[in-house]
Amino acid sequence: MPLIGYARVSTEDQTPLPQSQALKSAGCVEIHEEQASGGNRARPVLARVLERIGKGDTLVVVRIDRLARSLSHLLEVIERLEAKGAFFRSLMDPIDTSSPQGKFTLQVLGAAAEFERALIRERTKAGLASARTKGRVGGNPGLRARDPAALRKVRLARQDGYMERLNETAQDWVPHVRRLRPDLAWEDVVRIVNGPLPRERQWTQSRLLRAVNAYVRDGFLPPTVLDRAGRRETDDRLPAIVAAIKGADPDITLQAICTRLEAMRERTPRGRTSWQPSSVKMLLERAERLGLLG
């Protein structure tokens, strides 16, 4: 089972060398280094690692804080790895999801996170109830008076909050949208994006379009991704989808592509629900002849 190392430093003044040496000593066959803030979830190097990591691989870090600065982010990354059949290990913390002890530690962390959220909810409810008994009305006075400045401030705050939530999931969809649009229809793009994601994190077409429009508006994606998709012959659709999956992960195996297509509920050229590597190979060869493989 290959060990994939990830080393992160926050500033250019720091060096990831000590982390890389520790990861190499632990047996990592690949080590990816990144200079980025730990609070930023949309890190390009980490996004590529999570996108390309395969079944049976283990993502290894020296300490948990090199991967995530919050419990929710840590659990999110581990859930994504588990969805791919991969594992997580921290060299200096008692977490190794390939072992029973590591899984138990993870369950304890998950329970602690849920307990913390429950406490926050209860404290909020109690505070609101106390305020009501004292005759205080909640809300922003400016909003109640429909003050334009107050309304604009709230609107901008909501927009900032929405963009922050999008940034946390950008690694799931931005690379696919950038690569596939406008060559593929939105329906197919959504299915490719959702292929490796657990059900609770999957996108609807309308939600993805809203996110893409927001990123185009702020300059994070080129406007061309919103162009109308060109008409494609029916026989070319499956080669285009298979080429898109291959383009996202050049090292992906034929069997892994089969699994991805089945997760997308894509039928074979003969209308079957179960895919075989030979069928994928045939479609990849067709995609190459069509110029769909870069």
Side-chain angles (χ1 to χ4, degrees):
M1 295 188 296
L3 303 181
I4 312 299
Y6 175 74
R8 182 191 63 79
V9 293
S10 299
T11 67
E12 294 181 355
D13 297 333
Q14 299 171 320
T15 173
L17 184 59
Q19 295 179 54
S20 297
Q21 290 175 337
L23 292 169
K24 184 176 181 181
S25 299
C28 291
V29 296
E30 296 179 27
I31 298 175
H32 302 269
E33 298 178 350
E34 184 161 38
Q35 187 264 303
S37 168
N40 179 14
R41 298 193 181 190
R43 297 175 230 151
V45 174
L46 179 60
R48 287 196 298 271
V49 172
L50 294 177
E51 186 174 330
R52 298 187 61 178
I53 201 164
K55 184 176 181 179
D57 293 346
T58 299
L59 178 63
V60 184
V61 296
V62 174
R63 296 191 312 274
I64 289 177
D65 65 351
R66 297 301 88 196
L67 177 68
R69 284 293 182 87
S70 68
L71 184 55
S72 62
H73 188 206
L74 173 64
L75 295 174
E76 178 185 312
V77 171
I78 293 177
E79 286 174 3
R80 184 169 180 181
L81 292 171
E82 288 184 335
K84 287 191 163 192
F87 306 102
F88 171 72
R89 180 188 304 171
S90 173
L91 299 181
M92 300 182 67
D93 302 289
I95 296 184
D96 181 351
T97 61
S98 64
S99 69
Q101 295 87 347
K103 290 181 179 179
F104 175 74
T105 302
L106 188 61
Q107 290 172 350
V108 172
L109 289 174
E114 180 57 36
F115 179 65
E116 182 181 17
R117 288 191 292 268
L119 283 178
I120 293 173
R121 286 195 298 268
E122 291 303 318
R123 288 169 182 166
T124 301
K125 291 179 182 178
L128 291 173
S130 175
R132 282 193 293 268
T133 60
K134 296 176 181 178
R136 293 202 299 268
V137 179
N140 187 315
L143 293 181
R144 291 199 299 273
R146 309 300 294 174
D147 178 63
L151 292 172
R152 181 175 180 275
K153 185 176 180 180
V154 170
R155 185 171 63 253
L156 292 175
R158 288 176 177 172
Q159 181 177 321
D160 288 344
Y162 176 63
M163 293 302 295
E164 184 176 343
R165 293 194 299 274
L166 284 186
N167 291 340
E168 293 175 357
T169 63
Q171 60 193 18
D172 293 339
W173 55 276
V174 169
H176 293 294
V177 171
R178 192 186 300 276
R179 188 180 64 257
L180 303 179
R181 288 291 304 165
D183 294 329
L184 284 186
W186 282 110
E187 177 184 358
D188 292 326
V189 173
V190 171
R191 296 170 74 184
I192 291 171
V193 167
N194 286 338
L197 298 179
R199 184 176 299 276
E200 63 273 12
R201 288 176 53 201
Q202 293 189 352
W203 295 76
T204 62
Q205 184 170 322
S206 60
R207 194 161 69 92
L208 182 61
L209 276 170
R210 183 188 174 203
V212 171
N213 272 286
Y215 261 45
V216 169
R217 182 193 63 226
D218 286 1
F220 297 131
L221 282 171
T224 52
V225 300
L226 295 173
D227 290 348
R228 182 182 295 274
R231 294 182 63 85
R232 187 179 293 279
E233 297 293 331
T234 304
D235 291 344
D236 293 347
R237 180 176 169 278
L238 279 176
I241 290 176
V242 172
I245 296 173
K246 180 71 172 177
D249 184 0
D251 298 327
I252 193 170
T253 64
L254 296 177
Q255 186 59 57
I257 295 178
C258 290
T259 302
R260 185 75 59 84
L261 290 168
E262 290 171 1
M264 293 166 57
R265 297 186 178 180
E266 193 68 54
R267 292 185 176 271
T268 70
R270 295 187 178 183
R272 298 172 181 170
T273 57
S274 179
W275 282 81
Q276 298 297 324
S278 57
S279 299
V280 172
K281 183 179 180 181
M282 177 190 68
L283 290 173
L284 284 173
E285 291 171 350
R286 181 174 176 80
E288 188 168 10
R289 291 195 298 270
L290 292 170
L292 301 175
L293 290 173

